[in-house]
Structure formats: structure tokens, C-alpha cells
Amino acid sequence: MHLFNLKTFIVCGLSGLGLLSAATSGIGVAMSEGNILINNSSAAGNATIFNGSTLETQSASSQVRLTDGARLRLGSDSRGTVFSDHVDLQKGSASITGYSANANGLNVRADGQASATISMRDKGVVEIAAMTGSVHVFDAAGLNVANLMPGRALDLRPQDAGANAPSSLTGCAVKSGSNTLLTDETSNVTVQLRGGSVKTGQRVQITGSMVPNATPPNGATQVINVTDVKQVGGPCRGAGSAAAGAGAAGAAAGAGAGAAIGTTTVVIVAVAAAAGAGVGIAAATGSFNSGTTTTTAPAVSGGRLGAFN
């Protein structure tokens, strides 16, 4: 009986050690040319990173290679809490590949081989630039608020706004089955339009408000109740009444990818917050050099899109 209890104790003890080892195994390695702080403790050179470790750089940047192949680089004078699938950026800048980052209520996803840079600026501005592949931006509620093609940059800045503030979007209105869709030229997000006298096959600017709890059709992320329509261009190139929603999204993606390098378009993509807390986003979009946006140009459109917490 005593022998059995001893064996049971040994087996349980070894199992416990195995679980403890699994729970405390590293998720990656941080490499830095200078000193970095890991959970407020100074470290130099290479250091193992665990799930939930907080890294803070000083004069030098630090690169983290995660065990699943994803990569994260914290710029100098930056701080972030690192997890196996994302980093919570608290200050400074970060570059991600096959990884995601949270910054000021936004979730930036660079899946697969896609890469992006995220920088936290003054007054809550978050600058996002797509380096390679498609980069997607979501709000805290999981709503897709922007899609960036390679070579495009977007500045998001919170601003006061009502919970049901109107949206303003510009793009080509197309017919997809019984639905009318529009892909915003700035955010590259596709919405379903309801109401209003929207003429499909035309480039238009629409004003309206998001319909809460509405289920958008395939290819769209939200539903907008249109209150005003302005025609801001002639017929859309390659668009017709039978165009599908996927075609609209592809056209907008092509427009984003074809932007001239060295130019920046300033727009407003303000969004209404959930739970009654009014928040907006002002966005400057365009091409960039070395991961930073160029000087902004005069505004070409203004609007509010989606929900942002």
C-alpha cells in the first residue's frame, strides 16, 4: 500500500512538473543591440520572452522571433506586452509580420506573409502602413474599419462624435443581386446601401448612418441607411448593374494598390463608438516611404464608418 502511494506521488509530481514547464515555456526570443527592459528588469543581447512579457526599448530597437515564425520589431523608445498571437502596443512603434497588434482600441492584422508598421503618435493618433500583403484593421467590437494594400498608409485619430454620427463614403455603387454595395475608396471597406436614390454604376458620395444589428450580405461588413447622395464622378470604369460585390471590393483594392508613390490623400473616416461613447477617426491615407507617411495633402472626402471603441 505504501509502495503504491509512493509511486502515485512520484507520477503526480512528474506530471505537475510537466504542466509547470509547459505553462512557463517561452514563446520567442528577443534580440537587441542595446539594453531592453523585460517586465521592468534590464536585459542585454538575447532573452527568452514568455506569454504576457512586457518589453520596453530605449535607444535601440528590439526584434522578437516567435516560435511559430511570426516576427515583431519594437522601435526605439517603445513599449508593448507580447503574447503568442499579438502585441499590445502602449507607446512607440512596432513592425509585425504574420502577427497582429493592438493600439489605442484598434486591432491591426498582418496575416501570413503580410507585414505592417504601427506607430502611436501624439493626441492618440495611430499610424498604420502596409508593407507587404494585405493588412486589415478592426475596431474593439471586431468590425472591419479599414483594409490596406501594400504601399498604403493610414492615420487614425480619435475625435469626439455622437454615437449615431452620420457616415460619409465615396466610391462606385454597384448592384450585387438585390443589394446595392459600395466600397469606400479610402478605407477599402465594402458596405451595403439601403434607401436613398443611389444610381448604380456611378461614382457617388453617400451620407447615412449604420444600421445597428443588421446582417450585411457576403462581401460587405456593415449596412448603411442612406440619407443623401451626391454624384462625384461619371460612370465607374468596368462597373455595371450586374457587377458583383466581390468585383466592387476588387476594384477598390486595385485603386489602393495603384496610388502613386510619394503622394498622400487626406480624408476623414470618423466612426461612431458603441455603448454610447462617441469617438471618431480622422484618417490620412496614401503611399509611404520607409514605413512612414508622407506630408498630407488637402482633404478630398470626409466621413464616418463603422464602430470604434
Side-chain angles (χ1 to χ4, degrees):
M1 179 64 70
H2 292 293
L3 181 60
F4 173 77
N5 288 338
L6 179 60
K7 288 181 178 179
T8 302
F9 174 78
I10 293 174
V11 170
C12 291
L14 291 175
S15 298
L17 288 174
L19 292 174
L20 179 61
S21 176
T24 58
S25 60
I27 61 170
V29 176
M31 297 166 284
S32 176
E33 296 180 357
N35 289 337
I36 59 173
L37 296 177
I38 301 178
N39 296 329
N40 295 320
S41 296
S42 181
N46 297 351
T48 300
I49 299 301
F50 299 93
N51 204 44
S53 293
T54 297
L55 275 64
E56 184 168 1
T57 61
Q58 297 173 328
S59 59
S61 63
S62 178
Q63 179 170 299
V64 178
R65 291 187 177 273
L66 298 161
T67 55
D68 64 356
R71 297 192 302 276
L72 161 70
R73 176 182 289 276
L74 283 178
S76 60
D77 194 26
S78 300
R79 183 177 64 244
T81 301
V82 182
F83 299 91
S84 59
D85 59 350
H86 74 280
V87 59
D88 289 335
L89 186 63
Q90 293 140 23
K91 76 169 185 175
S93 63
S95 299
I96 57 175
T97 301
Y99 197 53
S100 68
N102 295 330
N104 201 21
L106 292 174
N107 174 242
V108 183
R109 302 178 190 175
D111 299 326
Q113 296 301 311
S115 60
T117 63
I118 304 96
S119 301
M120 300 190 72
R121 305 300 189 189
D122 294 336
K123 299 181 180 179
V125 171
V126 179
E127 177 187 277
I128 303 167
M131 305 295 290
T132 59
S134 298
V135 175
H136 309 285
V137 185
F138 299 82
D139 68 5
L143 185 69
N144 183 203
V145 295
N147 299 304
L148 281 71
M149 303 300 291
R152 299 289 289 179
L154 176 69
D155 283 353
L156 303 178
R157 180 173 63 250
Q159 63 183 21
D160 293 334
N164 293 312
S167 299
S168 180
L169 305 92
T170 300
C172 181
V174 299
K175 201 74 172 176
S176 177
S178 60
N179 301 310
T180 300
L181 305 181
L182 182 144
T183 298
D184 183 56
E185 294 173 354
T186 298
S187 64
N188 200 22
V189 168
T190 301
V191 302
Q192 178 190 6
L193 305 179
R194 289 184 182 175
S197 300
V198 180
K199 188 175 181 180
T200 58
Q202 300 290 320
R203 183 173 182 267
V204 296
Q205 182 182 56
I206 67 97
T207 302
S209 57
M210 186 176 67
V211 180
N213 303 318
T215 301
N218 291 336
T221 61
Q222 54 191 284
V223 179
I224 299 294
N225 185 39
V226 179
T227 57
D228 184 63
V229 182
K230 293 180 181 179
Q231 186 168 330
V232 292
C236 299
R237 290 178 298 177
S241 60
I261 296 298
T263 63
T264 298
T265 304
V266 181
V267 296
I268 299 298
V269 187
V271 296
V279 176
I281 295 178
T285 67
S287 58
F288 61 93
N289 295 308
S290 301
T292 58
T293 53
T294 58
T295 304
T296 56
V300 296
S301 66
R304 305 184 180 280
L305 177 66
F308 174 72
N309 288 323

